[in-house]
Amino acid sequence: MDRNKKQKTVTRQWRPISTEASSVDESLIKDVTVESENEDQLQEVHFSSGSFSNTKQVTVTEVTQSTVSSSSLDNNTENKVLEGGSVLSMEKHSLSIEVGASLIRFIKGKGGSTQQKIEEEMGVKIFIPSSKEEESIIIEGSSIDSVTSASEKIQAIIDEAVNSPGLNYSHFISLPLAIHPELVDKLVNFQNSILEISDAFLDETVESDPNEGTSDNEDKDQEFSRGSDVAVELKVEDDKNVKVDLTSVPLVSYAPKASKPSTLSDLGIDKSIFIKPTAFHLTVLMLKLWNKERIDAATEVLKSISSKVMDALDNRPLSIRLKGLDCLRGSMAKARVLYATVEEVGNEDRLLRACQVIIDAFVEAGLVLEKDAKHKLKLHATVMKTSHRRGEKRRKNDYFDARGIFKKFGSEEWGEYLIREAHLSQRFVYDENGYYHCCASIPFPEGMQVD
């Protein structure tokens, strides 16, 4: 019997996996041929779905393991022939999927329950990296079908996570304002004047809206006035009884006297809800970039539209005016976001046109969530925000009383400032200057165009 090692060739038809439920172009289906000449040799075939339209980019690797040598094959053949059986070969198939470190927790599930469920249902093993710097998981199984089914299940989990509030926005397009030292100083003074609170400030908070919260009492008074007739018997001198019909006595309701808050905490105000002066900015677009591939794509998009943004600005410098304060949602008594209003100096709408160029480019590149693409841009410079609150005082329906702040700073003139550049900024990470980490930037015109 020939003892030379035999070459085994396995041909598989591989279909790329998309993270969205969109159709796949049949021309993109690849025939993958895996050859194994030596025992325990692993042959890897890489495929990237980055060229798909309307799909998230996923790197897929198939690994087919063949452990059949000529000697073992001959021995197994002889044994199987004697036993009347058939010849079997063992193969393992693997997929490597780049998901991003921020999405790993969704695949694992609470206590690893989601991962375990997929492994048991699909008959696979999922290997999750221990390092936060690694962004790929590996699915291993005995057949392509089981591995593919498991990967599709994971893609569905990723899709759901990306569109849920559970996954934070990781990046955003910002127009830095903290590059102006005089504006940073004004913000510092604004914060200090509130945090170093006085009795006069607390009094202003109470007096600014005396009717706040009285509607419930008025309703109760009206309900009482509609009640049944009431007669009261009064005993007077000479043992005479007098009946008095109370329905003929007019009822007068009094608004409860507002109690004076004793501390900033009573108003829901603490230092953590103030925006860092060194990170002051305007937001153009929020982004969820959960892996390096998407960050790189966003970087390229921003750089590629630099000339279009310049054209939208008419190649002329652009300045904005910050004036007063307003509340984004809710009321001043129950504010969640307090911001300075933004006006373009000259009112030519050049800034809005430039921002729209940026937004359209990122939407076209598939880097913006569908719900975010539908939002209408409202430029505003946030100065206080409850979602930034830290510590035990944070609650689900969080707010703060901004009435006293608005009375004092509602007409504040913050000044006029030149917009010098647009950044792809990373949230929760700061550079040495205190501003958000800059992944990429494009300039805005700073000097007058010279003919």
Side-chain angles (χ1 to χ4, degrees), residues 304-356:
S304 69
I305 59 175
S306 180
S307 60
K308 291 183 179 179
V309 171
M310 285 288 193
D311 291 341
L313 295 170
D314 198 22
N315 290 293
R316 291 183 288 121
L318 183 139
S319 294
I320 61 166
R321 181 184 301 110
L322 299 179
K323 182 178 180 180
L325 292 174
D326 203 350
C327 184
L328 191 61
R329 292 185 294 272
S331 65
M332 285 295 173
K334 294 183 177 181
R336 291 180 173 84
V337 177
L338 195 67
Y339 66 90
T341 58
V342 178
E343 299 175 359
E344 179 184 327
V345 175
N347 296 319
E348 299 178 86
D349 289 336
R350 289 186 295 134
L351 180 56
L352 287 178
R353 288 199 297 270
C355 291
Q356 197 60 52

Side-chain angles (χ1 to χ4, degrees), residues 5-268:
K5 291 185 178 180
K6 298 180 181 179
Q7 174 175 297
K8 181 184 177 185
T9 301
V10 181
T11 301
R12 303 293 186 197
Q13 191 176 56
W14 195 252
R15 186 180 300 272
I17 299 168
S18 165
T19 59
E20 294 184 359
S22 56
S23 60
V24 178
D25 188 344
E26 294 297 328
S27 65
L28 294 175
I29 299 177
K30 304 295 183 182
D31 286 329
V32 180
T33 300
V34 182
E35 296 184 354
S36 177
E37 297 181 353
N38 301 314
E39 187 174 19
D40 295 332
Q41 179 179 351
L42 296 180
Q43 182 72 24
E44 296 188 1
V45 179
H46 295 273
F47 178 82
S48 176
S49 63
S51 59
F52 290 5
S53 60
N54 299 323
T55 61
K56 300 178 180 67
Q57 294 181 339
V58 180
T59 301
V60 180
T61 304
E62 181 187 8
V63 182
T64 302
Q65 182 177 4
S66 300
T67 58
V68 183
S69 66
S70 61
S71 58
S72 62
L73 181 59
D74 290 342
N75 290 335
N76 288 337
T77 301
E78 292 171 356
N79 293 335
K80 290 298 180 181
V81 170
L82 291 176
E83 297 173 5
S86 58
V87 180
L88 300 177
S89 63
M90 298 299 296
E91 293 180 1
K92 288 185 179 179
H93 304 270
S94 300
L95 291 181
S96 176
I97 306 178
E98 185 178 347
V99 298
S102 60
L103 291 171
I104 295 294
R105 60 189 175 95
F106 295 97
I107 298 171
K108 293 176 67 175
K110 187 175 182 180
S113 58
T114 302
Q115 176 185 352
Q116 183 178 356
K117 183 179 180 181
I118 296 174
E119 290 177 334
E120 292 176 352
E121 290 182 354
M122 306 300 177
V124 298
K125 181 67 177 176
I126 301 173
F127 298 93
I128 294 178
S130 56
S131 172
K132 292 183 178 181
E133 295 181 358
E134 297 182 29
E135 299 187 330
S136 297
I137 64 170
I138 296 175
I139 309 170
E140 185 179 280
S142 59
S143 71
I144 288 181
D145 289 341
S146 63
V147 172
T148 301
S149 297
S151 67
E152 289 174 347
K153 180 67 175 178
I154 289 174
Q155 303 298 353
I157 293 173
I158 292 173
D159 282 344
E160 183 178 355
V162 166
N163 289 283
S164 73
L167 181 66
N168 282 327
Y169 290 95
S170 59
H171 297 73
F172 64 105
I173 303 299
S174 72
L175 306 178
L177 297 177
I179 57 177
H180 301 284
E182 64 275 23
L183 179 55
V184 173
D185 290 341
K186 287 185 178 182
L187 287 170
V188 171
N189 293 333
F190 166 75
Q191 294 184 12
N192 289 340
S193 65
I194 296 172
L195 294 173
E196 297 171 359
I197 196 167
S198 63
D199 288 340
F201 180 86
L202 295 172
D203 289 336
E204 286 177 354
T205 299
V206 175
E207 295 170 0
S208 56
D209 191 356
N211 295 319
E212 186 76 28
T214 61
S215 58
D216 291 341
N217 294 298
E218 291 173 357
D219 291 340
K220 291 179 181 178
D221 291 339
Q222 292 174 4
E223 182 179 352
F224 178 75
S225 67
R226 291 191 297 268
S228 58
D229 293 345
V230 179
V232 178
E233 186 174 298
L234 300 178
K235 188 173 182 179
V236 296
E237 294 182 0
D238 299 331
D239 296 328
K240 294 181 179 180
N241 295 330
V242 179
K243 289 187 177 180
V244 180
D245 188 358
L246 287 184
T247 58
S248 63
V249 180
L251 297 177
V252 180
S253 62
Y254 297 93
K257 185 176 180 181
S259 59
K260 173 182 172 181
S262 58
T263 64
L264 279 176
S265 181
D266 294 338
L267 301 176

Side-chain angles (χ1 to χ4, degrees), residues 273-293:
I273 69 173
F274 287 90
I275 298 297
K276 290 176 56 177
T278 55
F280 199 44
H281 65 277
L282 303 181
T283 298
V284 177
L285 181 65
M286 298 298 297
L287 299 166
K288 291 186 178 183
L289 308 177
W290 54 86
N291 58 32
K292 185 178 182 300
E293 198 167 9

